[in-house]
Amino acid sequence: VDVKISDDKNDKVALTVETVHPVTKIARTDVISGFTPAINYIANLAPEYQLTPTSYESWVQSCVDGSEAMIATFVEKVERYLWTNSQTYLVGDAMSAADIVVAVTIALGANKEKLKLSQNVHRLVCTVVS
């Protein structure tokens, strides 16, 4: 899965999913355009994380449409959580759907408001987005 965030004025998100069938070896590429459709796609891939639209839409919208102060507050909470728990990821020792949703949300908000990210949040975003 490759998550790409463009630098255009509309803050478009495109999620590129490349899969190869294990038996036929036929490759398939799907592109999901738009932030909400991309997050919904990710949530459907990992039902065990119980990411439902009602569980993430409000804070995602806050970061995308919110003010610099709202975005900075969200980033500060994520930084505090990562620092307190000495973690790279939000849940466990491996990347989860939650990490992808949060990292992409922060990247969009920080890009929009030109915010400098703190150390742990920067590491999370770079790990997920790159």
Side-chain angles (χ1 to χ4, degrees):
V1 175
D2 183 22
V3 179
K4 295 179 183 179
I5 303 172
S6 69
D7 290 330
D8 69 7
K9 294 178 184 175
N10 297 322
D11 290 324
K12 298 279 186 190
V13 172
L15 176 68
T16 304
V17 181
E18 297 178 6
T19 55
V20 178
H21 191 279
V23 176
T24 64
K25 305 298 183 204
I26 296 174
R28 175 181 169 161
T29 301
D30 295 308
V31 177
I32 296 92
S33 296
F35 189 70
T36 301
I39 298 303
N40 288 335
Y41 182 88
I42 292 166
N44 288 330
L45 287 177
E48 65 273 18
Y49 294 114
Q50 299 176 348
L51 290 172
T52 62
T54 55
S55 69
Y56 60 78
E57 279 181 348
S58 63
W59 55 263
V60 167
Q61 202 59 40
S62 295
C63 275
V64 174
D65 293 339
S67 66
E68 181 177 348
M70 289 173 70
I71 297 164
T73 300
F74 180 70
V75 170
E76 182 181 310
K77 287 179 181 179
V78 173
E79 173 67 23
R80 189 176 317 120
Y81 175 83
L82 293 171
W83 178 261
T84 302
N85 295 292
S86 300
Q87 290 184 235
T88 299
Y89 300 108
L90 296 170
V91 182
D93 296 330
M95 189 181 314
S96 68
D99 295 301
I100 296 170
V101 171
V102 169
V104 172
T105 301
I106 289 172
L108 283 172
N111 185 45
K112 182 182 127 201
E113 296 297 335
K114 308 295 184 229
L115 293 177
K116 183 176 178 178
L117 298 177
S118 52
Q119 178 182 351
N120 291 306
V121 172
H122 183 266
R123 183 178 62 230
L124 172 69
V125 170
C126 288
T127 301
V128 170
V129 176
S130 59

